[in-house]
Amino acid sequence: MASYNEQGSSRDSQEVVSTSKEAAYDLDERRRAALAEVDNAQFSWFHAKVCIVAGVGFFTDAYDIFAINIASTMLGYVYGALPDTGKGKGLNKQQDLGVKVATPVGTLVGQLLFGWLADMVGRKRMYGVELMIIIVATFAQALSGNAPSVHIIGVLVVWRFIMGVGIGGDYPLSAVISSEFASTKIRGRMMTAVFAAQGWGNFTAALVAFIITNAYKSSLITTNNAHQLAKVDVMWRLLIGLGCVPGVVALYFRLTIPETPRFTMDIERNIGQATADIKEVLHEDGHPKRDLYVERIETPRASWSDFCAYFGQWKNFKIIFGTAYSWFALDIAFYGLGLNSSIILQTIGFGSPAAKGPRFIFENLNNVCIGNLILSAAGLVPGYYATFLFIDSWGRKKIQLMGFIMLTILFVILGFGFDKLNATASATKAFVFLYCLANFFQNFGPNTTTFVIPGEIFPTRYRSTAHGISAASGKLGAIVAQAGFSNLKDIGGANKFVKHILEIFAFFMLTGIFSTLLLPETKGKTLEELSNERQDGFVKGESTCLVIITFF
């Protein structure tokens, strides 16, 4: 009798194990089928909406970051510490560095913080929060005042840091949301379309500054110096303050965008809700209703030990090192140029005003705006769209390698040939052409791909965190570049060291070639294939099954 019970118990145990395996296999198949539906979906209005909503954020980010390039010149005339030379005052080294580096420092913090939060609490829950921070901090800058105890430059540094935290949050959130909703064959173009809004933000900042400068032309050419400075004070506030307008427009759409099915399935582990979301979003059957159907599954969970185990493997560590260092190297040059293009244009005498006295301020600001418009229109914006055309056919790695190689060559020419390229007026035009070409290959190259690749290549539970780490490495490069540029440019005389800074940029572009070789090609592969994790058996079993009826 005892023997019979033992055998029966053994058979029951085997049946339970067998049933459990079959259930896990069935859930595994359902997960892969649901993800395949996202990966194979045709381009729809929903995909376009994601690009627009995410892109407006990047437009705002770039406008707010690069407007300071022109606004710092305006601030120098009104609040500068340098003595008046007859051509107006200017910010000293510490003031100029403070207003330009505060945002990248804040951005670094925001990328790490929001990247982690998006993996912990959800993409949707954090999307829009970062935009609210940007809007408040941008508006506060425009209202900043001067006082005996607190200089306005110090106030601006604080608010630009806070604004940077919001901007930093936009990087991992927009990248991950656009990649997780995109189908495999259009993912590169979708993410590039989002990031390309950065070029338009840069261009618009220069355009708005140009319009404002010319709108106040009659006030700027007066002989009344106090009246001149009062109008310049209005000008920089308008230039900075208008940066919050596109953010306000996009805020509602960011707050109402649905959660990505991959987060719902792999992190919330709710396969029922994820399946419903996919049908409702991609097939436009309505807006997903959260907690309508909860069906829990057991999948790998994010934890510190799991994070260390995953990235402790060389095959995974080399990827995050490659994405992080490539972005670091690129931003050394990208922000070194982008935040100091006005200085470089003035150094080479491009558009330097002939007038002195009352007309100098107007002509200098007008020429700085025109120079930045040329650089944006001739190099930055076309570069993004060249990447858009080829990223899903050539691949990310080829474009990044090509970009770093071309940038290495161009910065070698610009740096070592600096004196000859500025010897005559025609040679200066050649310098500007090569400078625009460098801007072009930054964007038809690593500036775009360093944003795209980290949004694709990591597992869902660490995708936003790892993108934030990679992006923060880039902002560390921006901080190093700005601090180095500010402290090195005047060695040997005013702006005499600029040519050597360009040579230093060439070295970092060369190192970017080698870090790119650590990365695999992501073209044409699903996010799950790129995660370096086996997908067979990814679902371990069913955790809980619960039906909740809600009425909305």
Side-chain angles (χ1 to χ4, degrees):
M1 191 71 174
S3 176
Y4 173 79
N5 286 339
E6 287 173 6
Q7 290 174 356
S9 176
S10 176
R11 282 197 298 270
D12 290 343
S13 177
Q14 289 174 1
E15 287 175 4
V16 169
V17 171
S18 177
T19 303
S20 177
K21 287 182 178 178
E22 288 174 2
Y25 178 79
D26 179 59
L27 290 168
D28 212 38
E29 287 294 303
R30 284 179 58 191
R31 173 181 176 271
R32 281 187 283 177
L35 293 175
E37 194 168 353
V38 177
D39 292 332
N40 298 321
Q42 295 296 315
F43 185 78
S44 65
W45 164 243
F46 177 76
H47 291 112
K49 180 182 174 182
V50 170
C51 289
I52 294 168
V53 172
V56 170
F58 266 97
F59 175 93
T60 306
D61 298 346
Y63 181 100
D64 292 336
I65 290 172
F66 293 106
I68 199 64
N69 183 29
I70 300 170
S72 63
T73 303
M74 298 177 181
L75 286 165
Y77 291 139
V78 186
Y79 303 105
L82 293 179
D84 197 325
T85 60
K87 298 180 180 180
K89 296 186 293 182
L91 298 178
N92 64 27
K93 185 187 298 182
Q94 289 73 27
Q95 290 174 324
D96 184 69
L97 176 61
V99 296
K100 288 180 179 178
V101 85
T103 301
V105 172
T107 303
L108 186 153
V109 173
Q111 286 163 339
L112 293 174
L113 177 62
F114 279 87
W116 174 71
L117 286 172
D119 279 340
M120 290 295 103
V121 302
R123 287 76 159 118
K124 174 182 170 58
R125 289 189 180 96
M126 301 313 302
Y127 213 36
V129 174
E130 85 294 354
L131 203 54
M132 287 188 275
I133 295 172
I134 295 170
I135 293 167
V136 171
T138 302
F139 194 63
Q141 288 176 67
L143 299 179
S144 296
N146 204 12
S149 58
V150 182
H151 196 278
I152 190 172
I153 299 301
V155 177
L156 287 174
V157 167
V158 172
W159 281 116
R160 288 193 68 79
F161 170 82
I162 295 171
M163 181 186 76
V165 173
I167 290 173
D170 209 16
Y171 277 74
L173 284 166
S174 291
V176 169
I177 285 174
S178 55
S179 73
E180 291 185 350
F181 273 123
S183 60
T184 302
K185 64 182 179 181
I186 62 167
R187 190 175 61 235
R189 279 169 286 170
M190 270 190 66
M191 296 182 74
T192 301
V194 170
F195 197 60
Q198 188 182 74
W200 289 110
N202 194 323
F203 177 84
T204 304
L207 180 62
V208 170
F210 175 77
I211 293 170
I212 292 172
T213 299
N214 282 273
Y216 282 89
K217 179 179 179 179
S218 59
S219 299
L220 293 178
I221 60 176
T222 179
T223 55
N224 186 331
N225 186 252
H227 183 67
Q228 271 186 325
L229 297 184
K231 294 305 178 183
V232 174
D233 192 51
V234 175
M235 288 165 59
W236 76 260
R237 293 178 189 276
L238 279 174
L239 175 60
I240 295 292
L242 287 171
C244 68
V245 174
V248 172
V249 173
L251 184 58
Y252 169 77
F253 298 100
R254 288 210 166 185
L255 293 174
T256 56
I257 203 165
E259 185 56 87
T260 70
R262 282 182 163 91
F263 179 87
T264 304
M265 194 178 303
D266 288 356
I267 300 179
E268 290 186 332
R269 300 181 296 284
N270 186 350
I271 194 171
Q273 184 69 61
T275 304
D277 288 354
I278 291 168
K279 290 179 180 178
E280 291 177 352
V281 170
L282 295 183
H283 300 294
E284 300 181 1
D285 294 334
H287 195 279
K289 298 177 179 62
R290 302 300 292 172
D291 298 327
L292 182 64
Y293 187 78
V294 179
E295 186 179 7
R296 301 293 182 190
I297 57 176
E298 193 62 41
T299 58
R301 296 169 181 259
S303 66
W304 177 245
S305 59
D306 181 70
F307 181 89
C308 293
Y310 179 82
F311 287 105
Q313 301 175 60
W314 170 245
K315 65 177 182 178
N316 299 322
F317 175 78
K318 72 176 182 179
I319 291 174
I320 195 169
F321 178 81
T323 58
Y325 184 82
S326 295
W327 209 330
F328 172 84
L330 179 277
D331 274 6
I332 289 280
F334 184 75
Y335 281 90
L337 295 181
L339 294 178
N340 299 288
S341 56
S342 300
I343 293 173
I344 293 174
L345 290 172
Q346 291 169 3
T347 301
I348 64 175
F350 181 77
S352 294
K356 293 184 179 181
R359 291 186 63 89
F360 180 86
I361 290 179
F362 166 75
E363 290 198 12
N364 187 48
L365 289 175
N366 191 57
N367 290 344
V368 165
C369 294
I370 292 172
N372 279 277
L373 281 170
I374 292 171
L375 295 178
S376 295
L380 289 172
V381 174
Y384 288 111
Y385 290 99
T387 302
F388 178 85
L389 290 175
F390 295 106
I391 192 166
D392 282 320
S393 55
W394 286 13
R396 290 65 153 154
K397 187 173 182 176
K398 286 182 181 178
I399 291 175
Q400 185 162 309
L401 272 174
M402 175 197 66
F404 272 128
I405 291 169
M406 290 301 300
L407 288 170
T408 302
I409 296 169
L410 287 167
F411 283 124
V412 165
I413 296 171
L414 289 169
F416 289 96
F418 188 88
D419 293 330
K420 291 184 178 179
L421 287 170
N422 291 289
T424 64
S426 58
T428 299
K429 292 178 181 178
F431 182 95
V432 173
F433 171 76
L434 291 171
Y435 191 84
C436 288
L437 203 58
N439 282 332
F440 176 80
F441 279 107
Q442 281 179 330
N443 294 312
F444 185 29
N447 188 42
T448 305
T449 54
T450 53
F451 170 81
V452 172
I453 295 173
E456 303 177 300
I457 209 165
F458 302 107
T460 302
R461 64 189 184 279
Y462 298 127
R463 186 169 294 125
S464 184
T465 301
H467 192 284
I469 292 170
S470 302
S473 299
K475 288 306 161 287
L476 179 61
I479 295 165
V480 170
Q482 187 54 45
F485 198 104
S486 179
N487 288 291
L488 296 176
K489 70 183 181 69
D490 293 329
I491 294 176
N495 298 329
K496 292 293 184 181
F497 203 76
V498 168
K499 62 180 179 181
H500 299 301
I501 293 175
L502 295 173
E503 294 164 6
I504 293 170
F505 289 168
F507 169 75
F508 279 101
M509 297 306 98
L510 179 63
T511 63
I513 296 172
F514 297 104
S515 62
T516 301
L517 296 175
L518 295 173
L519 303 174
E521 179 53 67
T522 62
K523 177 190 72 172
K525 296 180 180 179
T526 68
L527 298 182
E528 283 63 45
E529 288 176 308
L530 293 168
S531 69
N532 267 346
E533 290 187 312
R534 184 178 176 181
Q535 296 304 300
D536 291 337
F538 190 82
V539 177
K540 305 301 181 185
E542 190 173 22
S543 178
T544 310
C545 185
L546 174 65
V547 178
I548 301 176
I549 304 298
T550 56
F551 298 93
F552 290 98

